[in-house]
């Protein structure tokens, strides 16, 4: 994460790609999903949200099968960010962010500072493309989704 904070995205990507290769070689699915998520975040930062969507679909499938609610919430935030920046479906991005917040509330998990910044940036993009009524409706829809339903929404978006 330090390379990303310093803006050295090439070095950060090399580290995460190396981690992904090691995770796959060791069949460590948790580390594979985390590496995919980190690479997806980098792809968004580098203006490649379509690449991020592909990686996040893989990460979500892994985390759905492992059943870790906190990791699913993080994945949904990353997926929502990729959707918003790809200008795919801003209403679905809002639903996914709301679902992630509901999961965090349900599990008692807080929001990490870097995640809070990501959420705020994503909300800005979403709100620039949805009127207040559409945003509120999508947000309410997302709060009612289970983690499994949130994952399914992301995978079909």
């Amino acid at each position: 994460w330090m390379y990303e904070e310093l803006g050295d995205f090439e070095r950060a990507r090399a580290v995460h790609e190396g981690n992904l290769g090691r995770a796959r070689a060791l069949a460590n699915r948790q580390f594979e999903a985390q590496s995919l998520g980190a690479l997806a975040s980098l792809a968004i930062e580098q203006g490649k949200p379509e690449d991020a969507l592909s990686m996040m679909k893989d990460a979500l499938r892994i985390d759905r099968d492992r059943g870790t609610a906190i990791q699913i919430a993080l994945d949904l935030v990353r997926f929502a960010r990729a959707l918003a920046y790809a200008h795919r479906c801003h209403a679905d991005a809002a639903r996914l962010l709301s679902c992630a917040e509901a999961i965090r509330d349900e599990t008692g998990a807080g929001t990490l500072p870097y995640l809070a910044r990501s959420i705020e940036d994503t909300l800005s993009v979403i709100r620039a493309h949805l009127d207040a009524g559409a945003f509120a409706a999508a947000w309410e829809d997302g709060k009612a989704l289970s983690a499994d339903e949130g994952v399914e929404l992301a995978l079909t978006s």
Side-chain angles (χ1 to χ4, degrees):
W1 303 111
M2 186 57 68
Y3 289 128
E4 292 160 55
E5 289 294 319
L6 296 172
D8 190 344
F9 298 122
E10 293 306 314
R11 209 176 267 182
R13 184 174 40 260
V15 168
H16 293 308
E17 285 174 348
N19 289 342
L20 179 60
R22 284 185 284 285
R24 286 179 171 158
L26 296 170
N28 184 325
R29 301 291 282 166
Q30 177 181 0
F31 199 41
E32 179 180 357
Q34 290 172 352
S35 297
L36 286 165
L39 286 165
S41 291
L42 280 174
I44 294 166
E45 293 300 320
Q46 294 185 302
K48 299 175 185 174
E50 295 291 337
D51 293 349
L53 286 170
S54 175
M55 288 181 264
M56 284 314 306
K57 282 187 178 188
D58 291 342
L60 269 169
R61 286 183 187 105
I62 293 167
D63 287 328
R64 174 194 58 200
D65 294 344
R66 295 184 61 249
T68 57
I70 302 299
Q71 190 60 44
I72 287 171
L74 175 59
D75 290 347
L76 293 177
V77 169
R78 286 177 169 156
F79 201 95
R81 186 169 174 80
L83 267 182
Y85 277 81
H87 302 293
R88 285 269 193 105
C89 184
H90 294 96
D92 280 350
R95 287 180 188 97
L96 294 175
L97 281 181
S98 179
C99 180
E101 181 178 274
I103 293 168
R104 286 193 317 274
D105 288 347
E106 184 179 305
T107 60
T111 302
L112 300 171
Y114 79 91
L115 188 57
R117 286 190 307 269
S118 179
I119 291 168
E120 287 305 314
D121 290 347
T122 304
L123 284 171
S124 293
V125 172
I126 293 168
R127 286 187 173 127
H129 291 88
L130 294 178
D131 66 39
F135 176 81
W139 193 263
E140 286 303 309
D141 289 346
K143 282 177 24 179
L145 296 175
S146 69
D148 287 341
E149 290 167 333
V151 169
E152 189 59 31
L153 174 62
L155 292 176
T156 58
S157 291

